[in-house]
Amino acid sequence: MNKIILDTDPGIDDAMAIFTAMAHPKIDLLGLTTTFGNVSVEQATQNALTLVEMAGLDIPVAKGVETPWVKDLNPFPDFVHGADGFGNLNLAAPKTQPITASAAQFIVDQVNANPGEISLVAVGPLGNLAAALQIDPSISAKVKQVVLMGGVIAADGNVSPVAEANILSDPHAADRVMAAPWPVVIVGLDVTHQVVLNNALFAKIAKENAKVGQFMADASKFYIKFYSSIRDIDGCYAHDVSAVAYVVEPDIFGTIEGEVCVATEGVAIGQTIMSRFDIPYPLTFWSGRPKQKACMQVDSKRLIELFETSMTSDYWK
Ligand code: BDR
Ligand code: CA
């Protein structure tokens, strides 16, 4: 069993990742921690609670950071996820509440209670993980791995020519996470832009999953409309669910490794730069940093199968 904490800014593709984590037989979802990103942290927390209620579960939701660590807050991308984060479906408010512990404190407590067992799966800006390291730096030795949807090594960015949205939203936090002595796996645009989820898939999910399928299909229409309008694809990218997939089937992906720095200012702000070669560069930014992994290849068919199976399995009956 893979114990995970999912750090998230729901978000349409975040919902795909959350439902996949709930349903996958090899995942034990310990809790959701929320962050600003696609929407405000208030809205993200409401949305996380809504998804938990929709699934009929009792999973803790801990509210996290509301602004970036250092830089100013970017406007929320309502043209990607809708003003409510779910494609402007404007669902009723959830009945349940977040727990009293902050997201960072929840992460620290869970990691200390389960040393060596927890994968932190982060699919939003990385402020909660940076805050958890601030509270208790010793968690870096007790986390199994940090798997994050964010960044891009060799492909194009999606919010600048070199930057991915989650990393650009809080580059200082992201750099702190890359520098910590814990194993990080970057599941970024190098792979997520290779996998397209189409309307036919969501129609099947709506038909076979009476609990959350129709919601997932309805929200995805907005997301697919956005992506179809800016890219030459008939569908949306499988961003956040790819990080969940890595936890249970890492061999879906091919990886490289090296020390990683995040640019925190200037024209390249938000760029995730990996030093892959043992060359004594004159600049010392990378020295002393641990080698981290980044996914560069993906078996698209297997990834889509994993998502489809999780969303249509008997778990939802
Ligand atoms: C990432 O940014 C957000 O819009 C998505 O939820 C995903 O986590 C993709 O760049
Ligand atoms: Ca996200």
Side-chain angles (χ1 to χ4, degrees):
M1 220 28 163
N2 295 279
K3 291 190 167 115
I4 76 167
I5 295 173
L6 194 41
D7 188 57
T8 173
D9 58 338
I12 299 168
D13 63 318
D14 297 73
M16 299 175 203
I18 291 168
F19 289 146
T20 300
M22 286 172 174
H24 199 286
K26 290 192 181 151
I27 291 179
D28 178 9
L29 181 57
L30 301 182
L32 301 177
T33 52
T34 61
T35 169
F36 77 91
N38 293 324
V39 287
S40 69
V41 73
E42 282 301 333
Q43 183 74 54
T45 308
Q46 296 284 299
N47 289 355
L49 291 166
T50 296
L51 298 178
V52 171
E53 285 182 12
M54 218 185 266
L57 298 176
D58 183 18
I59 294 173
V61 173
K63 186 175 160 195
V65 293
E66 56 189 274
T67 57
W69 211 7
V70 177
K71 81 185 248 305
D72 291 340
L73 186 64
N74 290 341
F76 302 121
D78 56 359
F79 50 95
V80 184
H81 295 268
D84 67 347
F86 289 155
N88 294 331
L89 294 180
N90 294 314
L91 304 176
K95 296 189 179 68
T96 45
Q97 299 290 326
I99 60 172
T100 47
S102 70
Q105 192 62 52
F106 178 78
I107 290 170
V108 167
D109 293 346
Q110 290 295 320
V111 169
N112 279 314
N114 301 274
E117 289 189 65
I118 296 181
S119 295
L120 297 178
V121 182
V123 296
L126 294 169
N128 290 331
L129 271 58
L133 283 168
Q134 292 285 99
I135 296 172
D136 183 356
S138 81
I139 61 164
S140 63
K142 300 177 198 150
V143 158
K144 186 175 173 192
Q145 60 183 346
V146 177
V147 182
L148 58 96
M149 190 288 132
V152 58
I153 303 297
D156 292 337
N158 61 358
V159 281
S160 91
V162 295
E164 182 280 330
N166 289 338
I167 304 296
L168 182 61
S169 292
D170 196 341
H172 298 84
D175 193 51
R176 176 85 179 82
V177 168
M178 301 300 178
W182 54 12
V184 172
V185 183
I186 295 171
V187 187
L189 303 179
D190 300 281
V191 287
T192 65
H193 275 177
Q194 295 183 46
V195 185
V196 175
L197 308 174
N198 62 25
N199 274 314
L201 172 62
F202 288 105
K204 182 163 189 250
I205 289 169
K207 201 162 143 223
E208 296 183 20
N209 181 333
K211 249 187 198 159
V212 305
Q214 193 60 54
F215 158 77
M216 201 65 265
D218 290 344
S220 297
K221 280 198 186 98
F222 190 94
Y223 204 45
I224 288 176
K225 202 167 167 202
F226 165 72
Y227 272 114
S228 309
S229 73
I230 61 151
R231 302 256 176 176
D232 189 20
I233 59 169
D234 184 18
C236 61
Y237 293 123
H239 291 304
D240 290 352
V241 70
S242 299
V244 173
Y246 182 90
V247 173
V248 282
E249 293 192 41
D251 63 334
I252 288 180
F253 301 90
T255 58
I256 57 172
E257 61 175 32
E259 298 86 350
V260 178
C261 286
V262 177
T264 53
E265 56 189 26
V267 69
I269 187 168
Q271 183 172 12
T272 39
I273 309 165
M274 180 178 271
S275 167
R276 292 179 53 201
F277 308 105
D278 289 327
I279 291 172
Y281 295 122
L283 299 173
T284 54
F285 292 114
W286 288 270
S287 57
R289 292 199 173 217
K291 282 193 194 308
Q292 310 293 17
K293 285 197 171 86
C295 296
M296 302 302 284
Q297 292 92 29
V298 55
D299 184 333
S300 171
K301 189 161 169 281
R302 276 183 65 196
L303 181 63
I304 294 170
E305 263 165 27
L306 187 152
F307 175 58
E308 181 178 331
T309 307
S310 303
M311 292 301 295
T312 56
S313 75
D314 284 352
Y315 173 84
W316 298 105
K317 302 243 157 74

